[in-house]
Amino acid sequence: MSNPPEDATLLEMQRRMLRIRRFDERASKMVKRGQIPGTVHTSIGQEAQVVGSCMALDVHDYMTGNHRSHGHPIGKGAPLGPLMAELVGKATGVCKGKGGSLHLADFAVGSLGESGIVGSSIPIATGAALSAKVLGNGRVALAFFGDGAANQGCLYEAMNMAGIWGLPVVFLCENNQYALSTPAHTVTSGVIADRAAGFGIAGVRVENGQDVLAVHDAVSTAVGRARRGEGPTLVEVVTYRFNEHSEGLRLGVDYRDAEEKKRWLELDPIVLFRAELSRRGVATDDELDALEQEVLAEVDEAVRFTDESPFPDPSVAFEDLYTDTLAGAQR
Amino acid sequence: MTVMSYLGAIGAAQREAMDADERVVIIGEDVEANVYGTTGGSGKSRAAEGDFLQRYGRNRIRNTPISEEVIVGAAAGAAMTGLRPIVDLSYSSFLYMAMDQFVNQVAKNRYMFGGQASMPVVFRSAMFYGLNTGAHHSDRPYPMFMNVPGLKVAVPASPADAKGLLRTAVDSDDPVLTFEACLLWGMKEEVPEEEYRIPFGVGRTVREGDDVTVVAISNAVVEAAAAADKLQAEGISVEVFDPRTLVPLDVEGIFASVRRTGRLVIADPAHRTCGAASEIAAIVAEHAFDSLTRPIVRVTTPDMQIPFSPALEKQMYPNRSSIEAAVRRVLDLPEPDLADSMARTESARLAPR
Ligand SMILES: Cc1ncc(C[n+]2csc(CCOP(=O)(O)OP(=O)(O)O)c2C)c(N)n1
Ligand SMILES: [Mg+2]
């Protein structure tokens, strides 16, 4: 068990979960109004899993994500404006408008990037852990990926490599029980967390991934193990996405049972944690209301920042491929 | 100056790079035991100083499982966070196992993330073509990677170039793939003992000539030089130009030569369709068409898989006789005796389709 978080940390957890929720709600609206080009994949319903994991890391620790991770830098404390601007494709976006919601990185908070290719960023996090180990800088890397990605071969190559070399990496499976329309249990042989045993590394399943403290505790244990040089951990967090796979997607089939959905919607991580904060006397109702207002204002401010930002000059499309200008290649 | 083999020169460059910078690490299968000959001391120093494992230790010499996808991806992740890995992927055919990592991570991360990432990593691999290793080990896949913006591609064709280009590759903050030809491994020449770099995008004139330009790649450079030497005796003056890197490509060097000779043959051991030769031919046709007095001729490997039997494989790649035939063709000279089976194959291949 790791040390229980202090009251200020508990409040910060709620703040970051709220930021992700309100940010994603706004982004969803903006997709539907055509203000965000393309689509976004929200983490609504999964905030406890995101924030519990991110807050188990230091700001210098690394993380990678998947298509659903544009809000994960918020979990690490990133400001909202450059993230929202990136979703809209503005010049002030954290990736200058070149990544968008599926390929967003925020190096300032250790986010080495999402991957639109399911599972493909897992080796990147493994490599970040390798550099931490070789350089001896004490950092840890965490790879977020879904239950669908858990069936990609690169995860098993990575778990094996991390196991033999004792790399400081946490493989964090966000098991929201579906890969797009496909129920995890129909495509997953056995239990994901149990797969760790085959590699001789630690594996743990957080059954209640709607409880930010349960996630934080499990991931803190894994991060501590990594930092002490005791190697990788596979953490599977069971959670549920409240929205459709992506915003604006209309599939015309109900691949999720109505009863099941109702049951999980009642397990809203933000509502649950607010009650917990009250119960513990960490904050009064007024203070918690004020927190919600503050976060709403932050999201408004992020949208205002985005609106006031210019779109990038078309010439920017031809920058950042290489660090130099490829002498001799102009044609 | 000292005499070094191509393989020895690669080993020397790796040792220099490891000595120069603690952030340089070597990652790959069987690198601990120096199976491929580039992670040992060179020559006498090997006995005296031991292999890289003894020199640098297991922290920096990373002997890997056979897991190309995570090898490539982890090297990329390590490069994004402070290391400068040299990855030894042994056979070039094995790059396909990591195609997603190359194309979607290594090549795209810096760009997608708006320049937040840099990717100082070198991926070395050896093309075992021409050595009867069969279809799974004979690939020359550099054109596939030329097709991926974000990667740099080097194809050293001499010991001195192998050493100098590899040092530049390790210095590069962008990902570099080097394709080494096993046929060149034993080639020896005088190589500067001191450290030096050969810039990317600057080709090398291997033979000077006035009548025809032959742009040749990898082991075809050696074959083109042999053809040039033979034709010299007949008073035919062939310029042989080795671009040394394909991305970036020394287009100005190629134009300068073609402007003087007016004729271009391109000898490229990769497959014909969308090969390096196709790209070079297209660039010259677009930008130096007026300099050409004859159509461009490509000498490539046909769009065919590589057979095992020496009797079958020998004819597949550009060689001195097929390059010679192509040179004669662009000069409107009679082509060699059609009884020569290799030349016959080449003539058939050159015929309009
Ligand atoms: C390699 C690859 N295959 C398929 C897809 C298409 N795709 C995008 S998201 C997705 C579902 C992923 O499910 P999961 O990993 O569980 O993540 P979740 O969306 O549930 O968060 C699929 C099939 C893709 N982007 N990449
Ligand atoms: Mg899922």
Side-chain angles (χ1 to χ4, degrees):
Chain A
M1 287 285 275
S2 50
N3 292 334
E6 316 208 332
D7 284 2
T9 308
L10 296 176
L11 266 183
E12 187 62 20
M13 287 177 176
Q14 182 72 343
R15 180 187 299 277
R16 293 187 189 180
M17 289 200 293
L18 276 165
R19 280 180 182 152
I20 293 175
R21 172 71 55 94
R22 302 291 171 244
F23 182 93
D24 270 356
E25 286 172 347
R26 185 67 69 91
S28 169
K29 278 203 190 98
M30 290 166 72
V31 168
K32 286 160 192 162
R33 290 183 193 139
Q35 293 161 335
I36 288 179
T39 186
V40 301
H41 304 74
T42 72
S43 291
I44 294 173
Q46 303 183 202
E47 295 90 346
Q49 160 252 304
V50 179
V51 171
S53 300
C54 288
M55 288 187 66
L57 297 169
D58 284 347
V59 73
H60 295 301
D61 289 332
Y62 302 114
M63 64 183 192
T64 61
N66 62 8
H67 54 283
R68 199 177 296 290
S69 313
H70 66 239
H72 290 36
I74 299 171
K76 277 257 218 132
L80 307 186
L83 299 176
M84 185 60 87
E86 186 60 34
L87 266 48
V88 175
K90 292 294 183 82
T92 55
V94 72
C95 304
K96 304 181 193 166
K98 291 184 181 176
S101 91
L102 275 82
H103 318 94
L104 179 152
D106 191 347
F107 276 45
V109 294
S111 153
L112 301 179
E114 304 181 87
S115 172
I117 308 297
V118 165
S120 179
S121 55
I122 297 168
I124 299 292
T126 308
L130 173 62
S131 88
K133 174 133 190 163
V134 171
L135 297 170
N137 60 22
R139 296 186 187 186
V140 170
L142 184 146
F144 285 104
F145 58 91
D147 48 284
N151 291 321
Q152 288 283 30
C154 66
L155 172 61
Y156 303 100
E157 290 193 8
M159 286 189 351
N160 183 57
M161 179 178 274
I164 54 168
W165 288 346
L167 298 182
V169 58
V170 179
F171 300 105
L172 196 125
C173 179
E174 310 177 308
N175 184 355
N176 60 11
Q177 306 175 55
Y178 291 84
L180 219 166
S181 69
T182 302
H185 69 86
T186 65
V187 291
T188 311
S189 190
V191 174
I192 292 168
D194 291 350
R195 295 177 180 185
F199 296 93
I201 69 174
V204 55
R205 190 166 203 258
V206 182
E207 299 286 350
N208 186 6
Q210 305 306 86
D211 176 357
V212 68
L213 293 180
V215 176
H216 185 261
D217 186 49
V219 179
S220 295
T221 301
V223 168
R225 178 178 297 130
R227 227 185 284 289
R228 289 191 305 273
E230 294 165 18
T233 307
L234 171 63
V235 181
E236 175 188 1
V237 181
V238 182
T239 181
Y240 204 76
R241 84 174 134 69
F242 288 1
N243 283 17
E244 190 36 281
H245 170 73
S246 59
E247 297 313 289
L249 186 68
R250 300 264 173 281
L251 284 177
V253 282
D254 270 339
Y255 55 88
R256 298 197 294 190
D257 177 70
E259 268 306 304
E260 170 194 285
K261 214 163 159 180
K262 186 162 162 285
R263 210 168 55 245
W264 277 95
L265 285 172
E266 280 161 15
L267 296 173
D268 183 320
I270 294 173
V271 174
L272 292 172
F273 198 53
R274 181 175 165 135
E276 180 65 16
L277 291 173
S278 296
R279 198 185 62 74
R280 293 186 181 207
V282 172
T284 65
D285 268 353
D286 284 351
E287 285 165 341
L288 290 168
D289 287 343
L291 179 63
E292 306 225 358
Q293 290 311 311
E294 278 168 39
V295 169
L296 271 177
E298 281 181 45
V299 173
D300 284 342
E301 172 56 26
V303 174
R304 193 192 57 75
F305 170 82
T306 301
D307 287 345
E308 288 174 2
S309 296
F311 280 104
D313 187 86
S315 65
V316 171
F318 300 92
E319 295 170 358
D320 296 324
L321 185 61
Y322 298 98
T323 56
D324 60 21
T325 53
L326 281 197
Q330 277 73 35
R331 50 178 190 248
Chain B
M1 290 288 207
T2 183
V3 174
M4 264 187 217
S5 70
Y6 184 88
L7 207 54
I10 293 166
Q14 295 201 140
R15 197 177 62 247
E16 287 174 7
M18 292 289 285
D19 285 341
D21 189 342
E22 289 272 312
R23 300 169 301 173
V24 178
V25 298
I26 292 180
I27 304 175
E29 292 157 27
D30 302 301
V31 293
E32 238 186 62
N34 187 25
V35 165
Y36 294 97
T38 61
T39 48
S42 56
K44 282 177 228 128
S45 74
R46 184 167 180 186
E49 297 165 22
D51 283 342
F52 279 26
L53 182 63
Q54 286 85 51
R55 287 176 72 95
Y56 305 111
R58 281 214 168 80
N59 203 36
R60 294 176 67 201
I61 301 296
R62 292 274 166 179
N63 204 57
T64 65
I66 305 170
S67 302
E68 283 78 11
E69 197 173 353
V70 76
I71 292 170
V72 171
M80 287 163 68
T81 54
L83 291 185
R84 306 184 75 84
I86 303 173
V87 182
D88 186 341
L89 284 157
S90 62
Y91 291 69
S92 301
S93 312
F94 307 159
L95 270 62
Y96 309 139
M97 298 297 293
M99 214 56 181
D100 170 57
Q101 292 299 318
F102 277 120
V103 176
N104 283 315
Q105 303 292 335
V106 173
K108 291 178 185 167
N109 278 359
R110 175 177 178 79
Y111 184 82
M112 293 195 302
F113 305 150
Q116 292 180 87
S118 58
M119 193 68 84
V121 52
V122 183
F123 297 99
R124 292 183 39 240
S125 69
M127 305 181 288
F128 278 66
Y129 69 99
L131 297 166
N132 316 122
T133 57
H136 277 172
H137 293 81
S138 303
D139 291 34
R140 294 95 39 237
Y142 45 84
M144 295 183 195
F145 297 91
M146 291 170 69
N147 201 255
V148 182
L151 306 177
K152 294 180 177 176
V153 177
V155 278
S158 75
D161 283 0
K163 185 170 174 225
L165 290 171
L166 186 51
R167 290 306 303 278
T168 304
V170 175
D171 286 350
S172 167
D173 283 330
D174 301 309
V176 178
L177 278 66
T178 69
F179 291 89
E180 299 154 9
C182 293
L183 289 168
L184 296 167
W185 273 3
M187 178 186 188
K188 288 191 171 148
E189 69 179 0
E190 295 270 341
V191 173
E193 253 167 312
E194 65 273 14
E195 298 188 28
Y196 63 94
R197 273 95 172 151
I198 293 174
F200 280 17
V202 180
R204 171 173 68 110
T205 303
V206 179
R207 293 284 187 280
E208 289 185 7
D210 303 320
D211 297 335
V212 184
T213 300
V214 179
V215 173
I217 294 162
S218 191
N219 186 56
V221 173
V222 172
E223 297 296 317
D229 292 346
K230 180 171 176 223
L231 289 162
Q232 181 78 45
E234 291 179 38
I236 300 167
S237 169
V238 178
E239 179 137 307
V240 178
F241 186 82
D242 171 5
R244 302 202 280 203
T245 58
L246 296 171
V247 182
L249 182 65
D250 185 358
V251 289
E252 290 307 330
I254 295 170
F255 292 164
S257 179
V258 171
R259 284 195 189 108
R260 274 194 303 101
T261 64
R263 297 178 183 86
L264 177 62
V265 169
I266 309 163
D268 174 9
H271 286 133
R272 191 166 189 81
T273 300
C274 298
S278 314
E279 181 60 21
I280 292 167
I283 294 170
V284 172
E286 275 181 334
H287 298 283
F289 188 75
D290 293 344
S291 316
L292 292 170
T293 58
R294 298 283 292 129
I296 298 165
V297 173
R298 286 179 292 156
V299 186
T300 66
T301 298
D303 290 332
M304 188 58 61
Q305 295 302 350
I306 302 303
F308 161 68
S309 170
L312 300 175
E313 186 188 10
K314 215 161 58 166
Q315 63 188 323
M316 302 307 278
Y317 317 109
N319 56 43
R320 53 200 71 190
S321 53
S322 60
I323 294 168
E324 181 191 335
V327 168
R328 290 183 188 280
R329 188 180 171 92
V330 293
L331 288 169
D332 294 321
L333 294 171
E335 293 185 35
D337 183 4
L338 288 185
D340 179 317
S341 83
M342 267 184 277
R344 185 170 59 235
T345 311
E346 186 51 31
S347 275
R349 198 185 314 151
L350 293 174
R353 302 193 276 175

